[in-house]
Amino acid sequence: MTQRVLTEGHGTSVVVGSGVQVNINTSGVPDPRPATDRPAAAADRPSPVWNLRPRDPNFAGRGSELAELRTRLSSGGAAGVQAIHGLGGVGKTQLALEYAYRHRADYDVVWWISAEQSGAIGEQFSALGIALGVLDAQVDSVIAQSKVKEFLRSRDRWLLIFDNAEKPDDLRPWVPDGEGHVLVTSRTTAWGQLARTLELDVLPRTEAVELLTLRLARISAMEAGHLAEDLGDLPLALAQAASYLAEFGMSVTEYRQVLREETLAVLDEGQPAGYPHSLAAAATLSTAGLGARDPAALAVLHLCAFLAPEPVPTDLVITIARHADLHLEILAPLAQIVDKPLQRQRSISAVGASGLARVELGTITLHRLVQAIVRDQIDPTVAAELRVRIEAALGTVDPGDPRDTATWPQWSMILPHLLAADPAHTDNPDLRLRSRDAIVYLLCRGDSRPAQQLADNLYQEWKKRYGPDHVDTLRAATELVWAYRDLGQFDRLRPLIDDTLTRQISILGHDHPDTLRTASDLAVVQSALGNHQRALEINEDVYGRRVRVLGEDHPDALTSASNLAGSLGRVGEFGRALEVAEDVYGRLVRVLGEDHPDALTSASILAGSLGRVGEFGRALEVAEDVYGRRVRVLGEDHPDTLTCASNLAVALGDMGEFGRALEVAEDVYGRRVRVLGEDHPGALMSAGNLAISLGRVGEFGRALEVAEDVYGRLVRVLGEDHPDTLKCASNLAVALGGVGEFGRALEVAEDMYRRRVRILGDDHPDTLSGMVNLAQLLGRRGQLISARRFAEAAHRKLRTTLGQQHPYTEHARTTLDQIAFAMGGRRTPRKTRRGR
């Protein structure tokens, strides 16, 4: 081999082999002095032995990964070997290159070895030996290996980079055992016995935007964000897009459109700096190589290309393979291995080793652009048939009851792939059924907005395809009603539920489970709209029908029983509400278990029922227990957990724990606003509870401020006659009295009382409680005769409806005593409790 030596500056440059330039000092070996003893300028020039290609001037991001690599390699001990692994195009080589440049002053030897072809490592080791001065010329690889490793073994300021290695056994003979550093880049993950591993994922969105804005001077941050999202934040795709846009001047909008319509073609355009191939070319080469080595692995890749760019459980791949008709030519290779675990896993592992997917912990993940490239390689007719087979197979995958939290991990894994199958346009009835269950899962999990979007999409598309009377269209409408209810969108909800129920009664009959489900939802809607008596009538009817059709311990019948208990409480039948609530809770625990969401909802209703009959201690005990279980099962920000927290604040206040009640009320109001929005009915009721809690601790000014604000919003959102609005009006009157505005307080209380009589009736406990508050305000204004008349009437009716010992009755009695004392009577005023 001919070598040409040129003198330059303080060292000598040597061209080795086919033009790789390296630098050595004039003595031919690295300077043995510690870094601290060398001239400061050393940090500003390349290491003495160095063969790296030029640095990428537009490298962006990866700060945490670079810091982690440095920490690991600097931790001391034997040779630090770090393997950077990840999908093809994720930037492993660029990360290793950037690391070397950032820390070149810390090394005397930095040598890059292309390790994709293991047979070529020996020649590159020989070149390193020549650069180090331990070899005079190109020699046998065994000698080169021995000489170079022996030289490095006694030194510590060296870095070897093995780029694009395939497996540990290829590198093991070449890794020195000294105290220097080794970096390996690889698409495979099996490096545990040779190296510590660092998995490299796609870029965080902020870093992807930074990469694009560095390379494209005129791109806006918004355009960069949209483009990064379309490209899945994959560094190779980002670099390639930037290269193409810079060269041809296409607008970002046009590029994104072409990317959607001609993915394979556009991803073959543009030459990204620092990458040997375009993304399309690299993926095509890898796919071809995978098919040649393992046809079954290629079949697995084809299946995953039609699923979501999310982790695909290998069990799902197996299920689809078994149901997708393996006689389809493109899947035929799977037929021989699908029921042979060892061979099947080898093929799945081969997909990961190809760099086209990440395989880990029983899952396979393909990047969305790789999926698009693989799909574009398949004949359109074959692809259409494969989609049909996958849809059919997905329809058979049943994670279980979506209302049961035990099934949620399985639902979480399957959901993205159900959506990727586009159930709105499927002709497969099983897939339609599974997608409706997916809506229920999202609703139960508390993701009301995504549930509403999915339900609305399915409902609108199925109505077009199958008509408004089709059973699947009507079921999608039912789930959409649920989503609207959870989001507080009653204006959109009411016409939909009326139309759906009318059609179901006409087509399916009154007793069909689907009709009963919608009727039950109508009761909930009527209650949310403030029509509590109508809700009670519907709930009683639905409960009776469900018991007759399904049996009293069927989960749907038990749900109706819980709803009935809630309705009874809202119309003032406190005793009967408690009786039903206790019975249904016991049965739900027995049938579904105490942590099932339906049992937890029933427990919340039971806590409220206990509070209404004055069993405050027991009510608090149940409320605290169910809140703790909701947090554990659903998380602290789930809408149902927030409802429990709001109920807990009420129970604490009823027990006189005003400070703790205020703490809980403030916390739950803030979280409800963040999760639901400030005008959601649940957030508004929490604001009302907060006003009560503030007044109870003497913060009358703030209580009034909150009460006035929430009352105005309730009038706008629910209307001035809604029972919740009237409850807030009662709180507003109390708050006004707290700051001494008795005239205005009396005006609000009188208006609230008249409305309650009209809406709830003369004998409703809320109406009677409002009478007591009105009597107190009349007394404070000196209208003692009117005050006594209201207090006596309220006390008499409360004693009849709720009993002598009920807190409402005691409050009325105390108020009556106070008025009598003010009028010069014999009764001594008792310590009074503020009304609700």
Side-chain angles (χ1 to χ4, degrees):
M1 175 179 289
T2 302
Q3 300 177 17
R4 183 164 56 90
V5 180
L6 300 175
T7 302
E8 180 179 344
H10 298 286
T12 301
S13 294
V14 181
V15 176
V16 181
S18 57
V20 177
Q21 179 173 306
V22 302
N23 293 309
I24 60 175
N25 61 20
T26 53
S27 66
V29 296
D31 190 336
R33 290 175 294 170
T36 54
D37 295 335
R38 297 174 188 166
D44 299 323
R45 61 175 183 264
S47 301
V49 177
W50 174 276
N51 75 331
L52 271 61
R53 68 170 185 252
R55 188 179 196 174
D56 181 358
N58 295 312
F59 184 90
R62 300 299 193 197
S64 60
E65 290 88 349
L66 287 164
E68 177 65 16
L69 278 177
R70 188 58 187 166
T71 299
R72 292 185 182 187
L73 290 172
S74 303
S75 60
V81 184
Q82 296 292 321
I84 307 168
H85 67 87
L87 299 173
V90 83
K92 302 177 292 295
T93 295
Q94 287 65 32
L95 181 69
L97 185 67
E98 180 66 16
Y99 174 86
Y101 269 98
R102 290 197 184 189
H103 299 285
R104 60 186 178 179
D106 299 314
Y107 299 105
D108 296 323
V109 178
V110 178
W111 202 257
W112 191 278
I113 298 171
S114 296
E116 186 170 5
Q117 300 295 328
S118 60
I121 296 176
E123 181 180 353
Q124 297 173 81
F125 243 63
S126 292
L128 173 57
I130 294 170
L132 291 172
V134 299
L135 298 176
D136 294 330
Q138 201 80 15
V139 297
D140 178 86
S141 63
V142 175
I143 297 174
Q145 177 189 103
S146 174
K147 291 286 188 180
V148 171
K149 290 176 69 175
E150 180 182 359
F151 178 88
L152 295 177
R153 187 176 297 120
S154 61
R155 292 163 173 78
D156 61 357
R157 291 174 54 83
W158 51 265
L159 171 66
L160 299 187
I161 302 172
F162 292 90
D163 185 43
N164 208 18
E166 289 195 357
K167 51 183 181 291
D169 286 346
D170 291 343
L171 297 193
R172 202 179 303 276
W174 302 98
V175 174
D177 54 2
E179 294 187 354
H181 299 161
V182 175
L183 274 181
V184 178
T185 73
S186 178
R187 296 183 177 189
T188 61
T189 61
W191 293 92
Q193 293 185 352
L194 181 65
R196 289 188 65 188
T197 59
L198 176 69
E199 181 178 11
L200 202 60
D201 204 348
V202 297
L203 287 169
R205 179 59 47 80
T206 54
E207 295 183 5
V209 168
E210 180 187 0
L211 186 152
L212 289 171
T213 53
L214 278 173
R215 294 172 183 246
L216 297 168
R218 298 187 177 220
I219 192 172
S220 70
M222 181 177 293
E223 287 179 316
H226 292 319
L227 181 55
E229 182 176 2
D230 289 349
L231 296 170
D233 303 305
L234 186 68
L236 171 53
L238 295 166
Q240 187 173 331
S243 175
Y244 183 85
L245 291 171
E247 181 178 357
F248 294 100
M250 178 184 282
S251 71
V252 173
T253 301
E254 189 176 1
Y255 186 89
R256 292 177 63 208
Q257 181 178 348
V258 176
L259 181 65
R260 287 190 293 271
E261 296 173 354
E262 301 178 62
T263 305
L264 182 60
V266 76
L267 292 178
D268 205 24
E269 295 285 346
Q271 180 55 49
Y275 292 89
H277 303 289
S278 69
L279 180 59
T284 301
L285 287 171
S286 296
T287 302
L290 180 65
R293 292 190 302 273
D294 191 334
L298 182 60
V300 171
L301 185 73
H302 286 151
L303 277 181
C304 293
F306 288 88
L307 297 171
E310 303 286 342
V312 181
T314 53
D315 288 344
L316 177 59
V317 172
I318 295 166
T319 299
I320 294 175
R322 286 174 175 161
H323 289 84
D325 189 352
L326 297 178
H327 297 294
L328 188 66
E329 184 177 354
I330 196 171
L331 299 181
L334 271 176
Q336 300 177 2
I337 68 163
V338 70
D339 292 318
K340 298 177 181 179
L342 293 179
Q343 294 182 37
R344 184 180 67 219
Q345 192 56 48
R346 276 197 293 270
S347 292
I348 290 172
S349 297
V351 178
S354 70
L356 293 164
R358 180 187 299 115
V359 175
E360 59 182 355
L361 297 176
T363 63
I364 308 169
T365 308
L366 268 67
H367 190 277
R368 67 183 66 177
L369 295 182
V370 173
Q371 288 182 308
I373 292 169
V374 172
R375 288 196 301 267
D376 281 352
Q377 295 171 352
I378 301 173
D379 179 86
T381 303
V382 175
E385 181 63 21
L386 183 54
R387 285 183 185 276
V388 171
R389 306 296 176 88
I390 290 175
E391 286 179 15
L394 282 169
T396 68
V397 179
D398 183 6
D401 181 0
R403 296 173 298 176
D404 186 352
T405 55
T407 70
W408 289 3
Q410 290 74 34
W411 273 109
S412 177
M413 293 294 286
I414 192 67
L415 178 64
H417 310 298
L418 287 174
L419 301 183
D422 192 12
H425 297 92
T426 186
D427 291 322
N428 186 283
D430 290 333
L431 184 60
R432 293 198 296 269
L433 170 63
R434 206 62 62 220
S435 62
R436 294 196 315 270
D437 287 343
I439 301 170
V440 176
Y441 158 68
L442 287 170
L443 289 165
C444 291
R445 197 176 70 177
D447 291 332
S448 302
R449 179 65 63 186
Q452 181 264 320
Q453 293 169 346
L454 175 58
D456 193 30
N457 182 38
L458 296 182
Y459 173 65
Q460 299 298 340
E461 289 299 326
W462 291 350
K463 187 163 62 170
K464 292 177 189 174
R465 291 169 68 91
Y466 308 114
D469 291 338
H470 191 277
V471 62
D472 287 333
T473 304
L474 293 172
R475 286 173 176 169
T478 301
E479 311 308 349
L480 183 56
V481 164
W482 187 355
Y484 283 151
R485 183 201 72 195
D486 284 358
L487 292 169
Q489 298 179 357
F490 298 115
D491 55 331
R492 304 176 70 181
L493 183 158
R494 185 60 190 272
L496 177 61
I497 196 169
D498 287 344
D499 176 74
T500 302
L501 185 58
T502 299
R503 293 178 186 278
Q504 287 176 324
I505 290 173
S506 174
I507 297 165
L508 304 174
H510 284 86
D511 289 344
H512 190 280
D514 288 359
T515 307
L516 292 172
R517 161 78 187 281
T518 304
S520 180
D521 287 344
L522 177 60
V524 175
V525 170
Q526 291 285 1
S527 181
L529 293 172
N531 303 323
H532 296 327
Q533 188 61 45
R534 178 59 182 146
L536 174 61
E537 294 168 3
I538 297 172
N539 274 326
E540 286 185 310
D541 177 67
V542 172
Y543 175 60
R545 291 177 184 275
R546 276 179 161 170
V547 167
R548 176 165 50 82
V549 174
L550 303 172
E552 66 176 5
D553 282 344
H554 188 280
D556 289 351
L558 294 173
T559 296
S560 284
S562 287
N563 293 341
L564 177 59
S567 284
L568 288 166
R570 282 184 283 272
V571 300
E573 295 190 34
F574 294 165
R576 190 176 161 212
L578 177 59
E579 180 182 343
V580 174
E582 287 190 302
D583 174 68
V584 70
Y585 175 64
R587 286 192 284 138
L588 274 165
V589 169
R590 174 170 52 81
V591 173
L592 300 177
E594 67 177 5
D595 284 343
H596 190 283
D598 289 355
L600 294 173
T601 298
S602 180
S604 291
I605 294 171
L606 175 58
S609 299
L610 288 165
R612 288 191 180 101
V613 299
E615 294 192 31
F616 296 144
R618 215 178 133 208
L620 178 58
E621 181 182 343
V622 175
E624 287 185 310
D625 175 69
V626 72
Y627 174 67
R629 286 192 279 135
R630 285 278 198 197
V631 170
R632 176 168 52 81
V633 174
L634 300 177
E636 63 179 10
D637 282 345
H638 189 285
D640 290 348
T641 306
L642 296 175
T643 297
C644 285
S646 188
N647 295 340
L648 176 59
V650 172
L652 287 165
D654 286 340
M655 279 295 291
E657 297 188 29
F658 299 146
R660 192 174 161 213
L662 175 59
E663 181 182 336
V664 174
E666 286 190 302
D667 175 68
V668 71
Y669 173 62
R671 285 194 279 141
R672 266 185 157 169
V673 167
R674 175 167 52 80
V675 173
L676 303 174
E678 65 177 6
D679 282 345
H680 188 281
L684 293 173
M685 289 311 300
S686 285
N689 290 340
L690 176 58
I692 295 172
S693 293
L694 287 166
R696 283 172 168 170
V697 299
E699 294 192 30
F700 300 122
R702 195 172 157 216
L704 176 58
E705 180 183 343
V706 174
E708 285 189 306
D709 174 68
V710 72
Y711 177 69
R713 286 192 281 137
L714 277 167
V715 168
R716 175 167 51 82
V717 174
L718 299 180
E720 62 183 3
D721 286 341
H722 192 286
D724 290 348
T725 307
L726 296 175
K727 185 175 291 185
C728 187
S730 180
N731 298 338
L732 176 58
V734 171
L736 287 164
V739 297
E741 294 190 29
F742 299 122
R744 192 171 157 216
L746 181 58
E747 180 183 337
V748 173
E750 286 179 325
D751 178 70
M752 177 269 299
Y753 169 66
R754 286 192 295 269
R755 292 178 185 278
R756 273 182 165 170
V757 168
R758 178 164 50 84
I759 303 300
L760 302 178
D762 291 353
D763 295 334
H764 192 286
D766 286 353
T767 305
L768 299 177
S769 177
M771 286 182 70
V772 176
N773 290 340
L774 179 57
Q776 288 184 326
L777 288 169
L778 286 166
R780 290 184 177 185
R781 293 284 291 175
Q783 301 176 34
L784 297 177
I785 295 175
S786 295
R788 184 175 63 183
R789 185 173 68 251
F790 275 102
E792 285 178 339
H795 180 254
R796 182 174 62 253
K797 290 183 177 182
L798 285 167
R799 189 173 54 199
T800 301
T801 57
L802 300 181
Q804 184 67 42
Q805 304 304 315
H806 193 280
Y808 280 14
T809 310
E810 290 184 354
H811 180 51
R813 176 69 180 181
T814 301
T815 300
L816 188 57
D817 286 351
Q818 290 173 328
I819 294 169
F821 182 78
M823 297 179 73
R826 297 178 183 178
R827 287 176 177 156
T828 302
R830 307 174 187 180
K831 185 177 181 181
T832 186
R833 173 190 299 269
R834 289 191 181 274
R836 304 189 209 190

